[in-house]
PDB file of all heavy atoms in Angstrom:
ATOM      1  N   SER A   5       0.823  -1.204   0.000  1.00 69.00           N
ATOM      2  CA  SER A   5       0.000   0.000   0.000  1.00 69.00           C
ATOM      3  C   SER A   5       0.856   1.253   0.000  1.00 69.00           C
ATOM      4  O   SER A   5       1.976   1.270   0.519  1.00 69.00           O
ATOM      5  CB  SER A   5      -0.928   0.011   1.211  1.00 69.00           C
ATOM      6  OG  SER A   5      -0.177   0.082   2.404  1.00 69.00           O
ATOM      7  N   ARG A   6       0.337   2.308  -0.576  1.00 77.00           N
ATOM      8  CA  ARG A   6       1.028   3.593  -0.607  1.00 77.00           C
ATOM      9  C   ARG A   6       0.720   4.378   0.669  1.00 77.00           C
ATOM     10  O   ARG A   6      -0.265   4.106   1.358  1.00 77.00           O
ATOM     11  CB  ARG A   6       0.574   4.412  -1.817  1.00 77.00           C
ATOM     12  CG  ARG A   6       0.975   3.842  -3.174  1.00 77.00           C
ATOM     13  CD  ARG A   6       0.503   4.775  -4.279  1.00 77.00           C
ATOM     14  NE  ARG A   6       0.784   4.230  -5.594  1.00 77.00           N
ATOM     15  CZ  ARG A   6       1.924   4.401  -6.264  1.00 77.00           C
ATOM     16  NH1 ARG A   6       2.896   5.101  -5.703  1.00 77.00           N
ATOM     17  NH2 ARG A   6       2.086   3.887  -7.457  1.00 77.00           N
ATOM     18  N   PRO A   7       1.538   5.392   0.972  1.00 89.00           N
ATOM     19  CA  PRO A   7       1.209   6.296   2.080  1.00 89.00           C
ATOM     20  C   PRO A   7      -0.074   7.065   1.806  1.00 89.00           C
ATOM     21  O   PRO A   7      -0.632   7.021   0.702  1.00 89.00           O
ATOM     22  CB  PRO A   7       2.436   7.219   2.145  1.00 89.00           C
ATOM     23  CG  PRO A   7       3.540   6.438   1.500  1.00 89.00           C
ATOM     24  CD  PRO A   7       2.868   5.634   0.416  1.00 89.00           C
ATOM     25  N   ASP A   8      -0.536   7.819   2.812  1.00 90.00           N
ATOM     26  CA  ASP A   8      -1.843   8.467   2.737  1.00 90.00           C
ATOM     27  C   ASP A   8      -1.947   9.497   1.621  1.00 90.00           C
ATOM     28  O   ASP A   8      -2.975   9.587   0.950  1.00 90.00           O
ATOM     29  CB  ASP A   8      -2.156   9.153   4.077  1.00 90.00           C
ATOM     30  CG  ASP A   8      -2.293   8.156   5.206  1.00 90.00           C
ATOM     31  OD1 ASP A   8      -2.880   7.087   4.985  1.00 90.00           O
ATOM     32  OD2 ASP A   8      -1.809   8.452   6.308  1.00 90.00           O
ATOM     33  N   LEU A   9      -0.905  10.312   1.437  1.00 94.00           N
ATOM     34  CA  LEU A   9      -0.973  11.426   0.496  1.00 94.00           C
ATOM     35  C   LEU A   9       0.243  11.441  -0.424  1.00 94.00           C
ATOM     36  O   LEU A   9       1.355  11.111  -0.005  1.00 94.00           O
ATOM     37  CB  LEU A   9      -1.030  12.764   1.251  1.00 94.00           C
ATOM     38  CG  LEU A   9      -2.131  12.963   2.291  1.00 94.00           C
ATOM     39  CD1 LEU A   9      -1.932  14.283   3.022  1.00 94.00           C
ATOM     40  CD2 LEU A   9      -3.507  12.907   1.656  1.00 94.00           C
ATOM     41  N   LEU A  10       0.025  11.864  -1.667  1.00 94.00           N
ATOM     42  CA  LEU A  10       1.102  12.206  -2.584  1.00 94.00           C
ATOM     43  C   LEU A  10       1.007  13.706  -2.819  1.00 94.00           C
ATOM     44  O   LEU A  10       0.002  14.204  -3.335  1.00 94.00           O
ATOM     45  CB  LEU A  10       0.967  11.446  -3.899  1.00 94.00           C
ATOM     46  CG  LEU A  10       1.965  11.849  -4.995  1.00 94.00           C
ATOM     47  CD1 LEU A  10       3.395  11.594  -4.549  1.00 94.00           C
ATOM     48  CD2 LEU A  10       1.654  11.098  -6.300  1.00 94.00           C
ATOM     49  N   VAL A  11       2.038  14.429  -2.408  1.00 96.00           N
ATOM     50  CA  VAL A  11       2.042  15.889  -2.462  1.00 96.00           C
ATOM     51  C   VAL A  11       3.014  16.339  -3.541  1.00 96.00           C
ATOM     52  O   VAL A  11       4.167  15.876  -3.587  1.00 96.00           O
ATOM     53  CB  VAL A  11       2.452  16.482  -1.097  1.00 96.00           C
ATOM     54  CG1 VAL A  11       2.445  18.006  -1.146  1.00 96.00           C
ATOM     55  CG2 VAL A  11       1.512  15.978   0.001  1.00 96.00           C
ATOM     56  N   SER A  12       2.569  17.249  -4.411  1.00 95.00           N
ATOM     57  CA  SER A  12       3.387  17.725  -5.531  1.00 95.00           C
ATOM     58  C   SER A  12       3.437  19.247  -5.513  1.00 95.00           C
ATOM     59  O   SER A  12       2.407  19.913  -5.338  1.00 95.00           O
ATOM     60  CB  SER A  12       2.811  17.250  -6.872  1.00 95.00           C
ATOM     61  OG  SER A  12       2.611  15.847  -6.872  1.00 95.00           O
ATOM     62  N   GLY A  13       4.650  19.795  -5.701  1.00 91.00           N
ATOM     63  CA  GLY A  13       4.815  21.242  -5.725  1.00 91.00           C
ATOM     64  C   GLY A  13       6.062  21.630  -6.484  1.00 91.00           C
ATOM     65  O   GLY A  13       6.691  20.791  -7.157  1.00 91.00           O
ATOM     66  N   ASP A  14       6.449  22.899  -6.377  1.00 88.00           N
ATOM     67  CA  ASP A  14       7.618  23.398  -7.100  1.00 88.00           C
ATOM     68  C   ASP A  14       8.902  22.702  -6.677  1.00 88.00           C
ATOM     69  O   ASP A  14       9.867  22.635  -7.454  1.00 88.00           O
ATOM     70  CB  ASP A  14       7.759  24.908  -6.891  1.00 88.00           C
ATOM     71  CG  ASP A  14       6.590  25.690  -7.491  1.00 88.00           C
ATOM     72  OD1 ASP A  14       5.928  25.141  -8.400  1.00 88.00           O
ATOM     73  OD2 ASP A  14       6.347  26.826  -7.053  1.00 88.00           O
ATOM     74  N   THR A  15       8.938  22.206  -5.443  1.00 81.00           N
ATOM     75  CA  THR A  15      10.152  21.561  -4.939  1.00 81.00           C
ATOM     76  C   THR A  15      10.161  20.061  -5.198  1.00 81.00           C
ATOM     77  O   THR A  15      11.083  19.372  -4.756  1.00 81.00           O
ATOM     78  CB  THR A  15      10.296  21.816  -3.426  1.00 81.00           C
ATOM     79  OG1 THR A  15       9.117  21.352  -2.752  1.00 81.00           O
ATOM     80  CG2 THR A  15      10.475  23.303  -3.143  1.00 81.00           C
ATOM     81  N   GLY A  16       9.165  19.547  -5.894  1.00 88.00           N
ATOM     82  CA  GLY A  16       9.130  18.131  -6.215  1.00 88.00           C
ATOM     83  C   GLY A  16       7.950  17.424  -5.591  1.00 88.00           C
ATOM     84  O   GLY A  16       7.033  18.045  -5.039  1.00 88.00           O
ATOM     85  N   GLU A  17       7.966  16.105  -5.683  1.00 94.00           N
ATOM     86  CA  GLU A  17       6.899  15.268  -5.148  1.00 94.00           C
ATOM     87  C   GLU A  17       7.408  14.481  -3.942  1.00 94.00           C
ATOM     88  O   GLU A  17       8.575  14.103  -3.869  1.00 94.00           O
ATOM     89  CB  GLU A  17       6.405  14.285  -6.208  1.00 94.00           C
ATOM     90  CG  GLU A  17       5.715  14.922  -7.402  1.00 94.00           C
ATOM     91  CD  GLU A  17       5.191  13.872  -8.364  1.00 94.00           C
ATOM     92  OE1 GLU A  17       5.918  12.889  -8.614  1.00 94.00           O
ATOM     93  OE2 GLU A  17       4.063  14.025  -8.858  1.00 94.00           O
ATOM     94  N   PHE A  18       6.498  14.206  -2.996  1.00 95.00           N
ATOM     95  CA  PHE A  18       6.842  13.365  -1.855  1.00 95.00           C
ATOM     96  C   PHE A  18       5.570  12.761  -1.288  1.00 95.00           C
ATOM     97  O   PHE A  18       4.475  13.289  -1.450  1.00 95.00           O
ATOM     98  CB  PHE A  18       7.597  14.155  -0.774  1.00 95.00           C
ATOM     99  CG  PHE A  18       6.893  15.391  -0.280  1.00 95.00           C
ATOM    100  CD1 PHE A  18       6.073  15.343   0.847  1.00 95.00           C
ATOM    101  CD2 PHE A  18       7.042  16.608  -0.937  1.00 95.00           C
ATOM    102  CE1 PHE A  18       5.432  16.479   1.316  1.00 95.00           C
ATOM    103  CE2 PHE A  18       6.379  17.749  -0.486  1.00 95.00           C
ATOM    104  CZ  PHE A  18       5.592  17.691   0.636  1.00 95.00           C
ATOM    105  N   TYR A  19       5.748  11.631  -0.611  1.00 95.00           N
ATOM    106  CA  TYR A  19       4.650  10.962   0.052  1.00 95.00           C
ATOM    107  C   TYR A  19       4.563  11.426   1.499  1.00 95.00           C
ATOM    108  O   TYR A  19       5.569  11.753   2.132  1.00 95.00           O
ATOM    109  CB  TYR A  19       4.855   9.441   0.045  1.00 95.00           C
ATOM    110  CG  TYR A  19       4.779   8.790  -1.317  1.00 95.00           C
ATOM    111  CD1 TYR A  19       5.923   8.265  -1.915  1.00 95.00           C
ATOM    112  CD2 TYR A  19       3.563   8.686  -1.989  1.00 95.00           C
ATOM    113  CE1 TYR A  19       5.861   7.646  -3.155  1.00 95.00           C
ATOM    114  CE2 TYR A  19       3.495   8.074  -3.236  1.00 95.00           C
ATOM    115  CZ  TYR A  19       4.643   7.560  -3.811  1.00 95.00           C
ATOM    116  OH  TYR A  19       4.565   6.952  -5.041  1.00 95.00           O
ATOM    117  N   VAL A  20       3.332  11.410   2.039  1.00 95.00           N
ATOM    118  CA  VAL A  20       3.100  11.761   3.440  1.00 95.00           C
ATOM    119  C   VAL A  20       2.227  10.679   4.066  1.00 95.00           C
ATOM    120  O   VAL A  20       1.168  10.329   3.524  1.00 95.00           O
ATOM    121  CB  VAL A  20       2.412  13.131   3.594  1.00 95.00           C
ATOM    122  CG1 VAL A  20       2.100  13.420   5.067  1.00 95.00           C
ATOM    123  CG2 VAL A  20       3.278  14.236   3.012  1.00 95.00           C
ATOM    124  N   GLU A  21       2.681  10.146   5.194  1.00 94.00           N
ATOM    125  CA  GLU A  21       1.889   9.216   6.001  1.00 94.00           C
ATOM    126  C   GLU A  21       1.519   9.924   7.291  1.00 94.00           C
ATOM    127  O   GLU A  21       2.393  10.446   8.003  1.00 94.00           O
ATOM    128  CB  GLU A  21       2.677   7.946   6.311  1.00 94.00           C
ATOM    129  CG  GLU A  21       1.933   6.929   7.134  1.00 94.00           C
ATOM    130  CD  GLU A  21       0.854   6.192   6.347  1.00 94.00           C
ATOM    131  OE1 GLU A  21       0.843   6.263   5.102  1.00 94.00           O
ATOM    132  OE2 GLU A  21       0.009   5.521   6.990  1.00 94.00           O
ATOM    133  N   ALA A  22       0.228   9.992   7.613  1.00 94.00           N
ATOM    134  CA  ALA A  22      -0.257  10.704   8.800  1.00 94.00           C
ATOM    135  C   ALA A  22      -0.473   9.725   9.940  1.00 94.00           C
ATOM    136  O   ALA A  22      -1.048   8.649   9.749  1.00 94.00           O
ATOM    137  CB  ALA A  22      -1.559  11.438   8.485  1.00 94.00           C
ATOM    138  N   ALA A  23      -0.031  10.110  11.142  1.00 92.00           N
ATOM    139  CA  ALA A  23      -0.212   9.248  12.317  1.00 92.00           C
ATOM    140  C   ALA A  23      -0.370  10.116  13.556  1.00 92.00           C
ATOM    141  O   ALA A  23       0.348  11.101  13.732  1.00 92.00           O
ATOM    142  CB  ALA A  23       0.984   8.307  12.487  1.00 92.00           C
ATOM    143  N   ALA A  24      -1.316   9.751  14.410  1.00 90.00           N
ATOM    144  CA  ALA A  24      -1.514  10.435  15.686  1.00 90.00           C
ATOM    145  C   ALA A  24      -0.806   9.650  16.778  1.00 90.00           C
ATOM    146  O   ALA A  24      -0.880   8.422  16.823  1.00 90.00           O
ATOM    147  CB  ALA A  24      -3.003  10.572  16.001  1.00 90.00           C
ATOM    148  N   VAL A  25      -0.113  10.362  17.674  1.00 89.00           N
ATOM    149  CA  VAL A  25       0.615   9.749  18.777  1.00 89.00           C
ATOM    150  C   VAL A  25      -0.108  10.080  20.077  1.00 89.00           C
ATOM    151  O   VAL A  25      -0.208  11.253  20.452  1.00 89.00           O
ATOM    152  CB  VAL A  25       2.072  10.250  18.847  1.00 89.00           C
ATOM    153  CG1 VAL A  25       2.816   9.564  19.981  1.00 89.00           C
ATOM    154  CG2 VAL A  25       2.782  10.025  17.520  1.00 89.00           C
ATOM    155  N   LEU A  26      -0.625   9.073  20.759  1.00 80.00           N
ATOM    156  CA  LEU A  26      -1.293   9.252  22.045  1.00 80.00           C
ATOM    157  C   LEU A  26      -0.297   8.920  23.146  1.00 80.00           C
ATOM    158  O   LEU A  26       0.155   7.783  23.261  1.00 80.00           O
ATOM    159  CB  LEU A  26      -2.525   8.353  22.145  1.00 80.00           C
ATOM    160  CG  LEU A  26      -3.581   8.510  21.038  1.00 80.00           C
ATOM    161  CD1 LEU A  26      -4.754   7.584  21.310  1.00 80.00           C
ATOM    162  CD2 LEU A  26      -4.054   9.943  20.930  1.00 80.00           C
ATOM    163  N   SER A  27       0.057   9.914  23.940  1.00 72.00           N
ATOM    164  CA  SER A  27       1.053   9.699  24.986  1.00 72.00           C
ATOM    165  C   SER A  27       0.794  10.681  26.119  1.00 72.00           C
ATOM    166  O   SER A  27      -0.152  11.468  26.092  1.00 72.00           O
ATOM    167  CB  SER A  27       2.475   9.883  24.424  1.00 72.00           C
ATOM    168  OG  SER A  27       2.638  11.182  23.867  1.00 72.00           O
ATOM    169  N   GLY A  28       1.639  10.666  27.129  1.00 60.00           N
ATOM    170  CA  GLY A  28       1.476  11.547  28.284  1.00 60.00           C
ATOM    171  C   GLY A  28       2.094  10.909  29.512  1.00 60.00           C
ATOM    172  O   GLY A  28       3.024  10.104  29.415  1.00 60.00           O
ATOM    173  N   ILE A  29       1.570  11.257  30.685  1.00 55.00           N
ATOM    174  CA  ILE A  29       2.102  10.725  31.935  1.00 55.00           C
ATOM    175  C   ILE A  29       1.589   9.303  32.149  1.00 55.00           C
ATOM    176  O   ILE A  29       0.405   9.025  32.004  1.00 55.00           O
ATOM    177  CB  ILE A  29       1.690  11.607  33.128  1.00 55.00           C
ATOM    178  CG1 ILE A  29       2.321  12.999  32.991  1.00 55.00           C
ATOM    179  CG2 ILE A  29       2.118  10.986  34.441  1.00 55.00           C
ATOM    180  CD1 ILE A  29       1.907  13.962  34.084  1.00 55.00           C
ATOM    181  N   VAL A  30       2.496   8.412  32.473  1.00 56.00           N
ATOM    182  CA  VAL A  30       2.151   7.019  32.763  1.00 56.00           C
ATOM    183  C   VAL A  30       2.498   6.750  34.222  1.00 56.00           C
ATOM    184  O   VAL A  30       3.654   6.834  34.626  1.00 56.00           O
ATOM    185  CB  VAL A  30       2.916   6.046  31.853  1.00 56.00           C
ATOM    186  CG1 VAL A  30       2.574   4.616  32.220  1.00 56.00           C
ATOM    187  CG2 VAL A  30       2.590   6.318  30.394  1.00 56.00           C
ATOM    188  N   GLU A  31       1.488   6.456  35.028  1.00 58.00           N
ATOM    189  CA  GLU A  31       1.693   6.141  36.438  1.00 58.00           C
ATOM    190  C   GLU A  31       1.199   4.725  36.698  1.00 58.00           C
ATOM    191  O   GLU A  31       0.067   4.380  36.331  1.00 58.00           O
ATOM    192  CB  GLU A  31       0.941   7.129  37.333  1.00 58.00           C
ATOM    193  CG  GLU A  31       1.141   6.870  38.822  1.00 58.00           C
ATOM    194  CD  GLU A  31       0.407   7.874  39.688  1.00 58.00           C
ATOM    195  OE1 GLU A  31      -0.065   8.892  39.156  1.00 58.00           O
ATOM    196  OE2 GLU A  31       0.309   7.633  40.897  1.00 58.00           O
ATOM    197  N   GLU A  32       2.036   3.920  37.321  1.00 66.00           N
ATOM    198  CA  GLU A  32       1.676   2.535  37.592  1.00 66.00           C
ATOM    199  C   GLU A  32       0.404   2.470  38.438  1.00 66.00           C
ATOM    200  O   GLU A  32       0.263   3.185  39.428  1.00 66.00           O
ATOM    201  CB  GLU A  32       2.823   1.832  38.319  1.00 66.00           C
ATOM    202  CG  GLU A  32       2.598   0.342  38.500  1.00 66.00           C
ATOM    203  CD  GLU A  32       3.788  -0.350  39.144  1.00 66.00           C
ATOM    204  OE1 GLU A  32       4.814   0.328  39.371  1.00 66.00           O
ATOM    205  OE2 GLU A  32       3.676  -1.559  39.405  1.00 66.00           O
ATOM    206  N   GLY A  33      -0.512   1.615  38.024  1.00 69.00           N
ATOM    207  CA  GLY A  33      -1.749   1.425  38.766  1.00 69.00           C
ATOM    208  C   GLY A  33      -2.877   2.357  38.358  1.00 69.00           C
ATOM    209  O   GLY A  33      -4.000   2.210  38.845  1.00 69.00           O
ATOM    210  N   ARG A  34      -2.602   3.322  37.477  1.00 69.00           N
ATOM    211  CA  ARG A  34      -3.647   4.257  37.060  1.00 69.00           C
ATOM    212  C   ARG A  34      -4.262   3.801  35.744  1.00 69.00           C
ATOM    213  O   ARG A  34      -3.619   3.125  34.929  1.00 69.00           O
ATOM    214  CB  ARG A  34      -3.068   5.670  36.901  1.00 69.00           C
ATOM    215  CG  ARG A  34      -2.475   6.251  38.172  1.00 69.00           C
ATOM    216  CD  ARG A  34      -3.515   6.499  39.235  1.00 69.00           C
ATOM    217  NE  ARG A  34      -4.444   7.539  38.846  1.00 69.00           N
ATOM    218  CZ  ARG A  34      -4.247   8.851  39.083  1.00 69.00           C
ATOM    219  NH1 ARG A  34      -3.140   9.251  39.709  1.00 69.00           N
ATOM    220  NH2 ARG A  34      -5.146   9.739  38.731  1.00 69.00           N
ATOM    221  N   ASP A  35      -5.514   4.179  35.512  1.00 74.00           N
ATOM    222  CA  ASP A  35      -6.214   3.819  34.289  1.00 74.00           C
ATOM    223  C   ASP A  35      -7.209   4.923  33.970  1.00 74.00           C
ATOM    224  O   ASP A  35      -8.219   5.076  34.658  1.00 74.00           O
ATOM    225  CB  ASP A  35      -6.928   2.477  34.436  1.00 74.00           C
ATOM    226  CG  ASP A  35      -7.560   2.006  33.127  1.00 74.00           C
ATOM    227  OD1 ASP A  35      -8.625   2.551  32.757  1.00 74.00           O
ATOM    228  OD2 ASP A  35      -6.983   1.116  32.484  1.00 74.00           O
ATOM    229  N   SER A  36      -6.922   5.710  32.945  1.00 78.00           N
ATOM    230  CA  SER A  36      -7.744   6.885  32.631  1.00 78.00           C
ATOM    231  C   SER A  36      -9.172   6.520  32.290  1.00 78.00           C
ATOM    232  O   SER A  36     -10.118   7.224  32.670  1.00 78.00           O
ATOM    233  CB  SER A  36      -7.111   7.672  31.474  1.00 78.00           C
ATOM    234  OG  SER A  36      -5.836   8.166  31.822  1.00 78.00           O
ATOM    235  N   GLU A  37      -9.356   5.411  31.572  1.00 78.00           N
ATOM    236  CA  GLU A  37     -10.713   5.037  31.168  1.00 78.00           C
ATOM    237  C   GLU A  37     -11.564   4.683  32.381  1.00 78.00           C
ATOM    238  O   GLU A  37     -12.698   5.147  32.516  1.00 78.00           O
ATOM    239  CB  GLU A  37     -10.673   3.866  30.189  1.00 78.00           C
ATOM    240  CG  GLU A  37     -12.052   3.452  29.697  1.00 78.00           C
ATOM    241  CD  GLU A  37     -11.997   2.330  28.678  1.00 78.00           C
ATOM    242  OE1 GLU A  37     -10.881   1.924  28.306  1.00 78.00           O
ATOM    243  OE2 GLU A  37     -13.067   1.852  28.272  1.00 78.00           O
ATOM    244  N   ARG A  38     -11.024   3.871  33.287  1.00 85.00           N
ATOM    245  CA  ARG A  38     -11.797   3.498  34.472  1.00 85.00           C
ATOM    246  C   ARG A  38     -11.997   4.698  35.390  1.00 85.00           C
ATOM    247  O   ARG A  38     -13.068   4.857  35.994  1.00 85.00           O
ATOM    248  CB  ARG A  38     -11.102   2.356  35.225  1.00 85.00           C
ATOM    249  CG  ARG A  38     -11.046   1.055  34.460  1.00 85.00           C
ATOM    250  CD  ARG A  38     -10.822  -0.132  35.391  1.00 85.00           C
ATOM    251  NE  ARG A  38      -9.650   0.019  36.226  1.00 85.00           N
ATOM    252  CZ  ARG A  38      -8.423  -0.388  35.899  1.00 85.00           C
ATOM    253  NH1 ARG A  38      -8.206  -0.941  34.714  1.00 85.00           N
ATOM    254  NH2 ARG A  38      -7.421  -0.239  36.740  1.00 85.00           N
ATOM    255  N   GLU A  39     -10.988   5.526  35.519  1.00 85.00           N
ATOM    256  CA  GLU A  39     -11.111   6.697  36.389  1.00 85.00           C
ATOM    257  C   GLU A  39     -12.187   7.651  35.886  1.00 85.00           C
ATOM    258  O   GLU A  39     -12.856   8.327  36.680  1.00 85.00           O
ATOM    259  CB  GLU A  39      -9.768   7.412  36.486  1.00 85.00           C
ATOM    260  CG  GLU A  39      -8.728   6.626  37.264  1.00 85.00           C
ATOM    261  CD  GLU A  39      -7.349   7.265  37.208  1.00 85.00           C
ATOM    262  OE1 GLU A  39      -7.272   8.471  36.878  1.00 85.00           O
ATOM    263  OE2 GLU A  39      -6.355   6.572  37.510  1.00 85.00           O
ATOM    264  N   SER A  40     -12.369   7.708  34.567  1.00 87.00           N
ATOM    265  CA  SER A  40     -13.391   8.607  34.020  1.00 87.00           C
ATOM    266  C   SER A  40     -14.790   8.182  34.442  1.00 87.00           C
ATOM    267  O   SER A  40     -15.695   9.016  34.516  1.00 87.00           O
ATOM    268  CB  SER A  40     -13.279   8.661  32.494  1.00 87.00           C
ATOM    269  OG  SER A  40     -13.616   7.411  31.912  1.00 87.00           O
TER     270      SER A  40
END
């Protein structure tokens, strides 16, 4: 499979793959879903 986007401009063409990173503070014994 190809990446999400093929972008073309004056500087040439390139592929872009988009990804979201879910991160933050990790504390042992905690669970955000249950705490909510």
Side-chain angles (χ1 to χ4, degrees):
S5 64
R6 293 182 184 272
D8 295 320
L9 305 174
L10 174 61
V11 181
S12 307
D14 295 338
T15 56
E17 294 183 318
F18 55 93
Y19 293 110
V20 176
E21 180 74 14
V25 182
L26 304 182
S27 58
I29 296 177
V30 178
E31 181 179 348
E32 187 176 356
R34 299 294 294 272
D35 186 284
S36 297
E37 182 177 356
R38 294 200 305 270
E39 290 173 19
S40 67

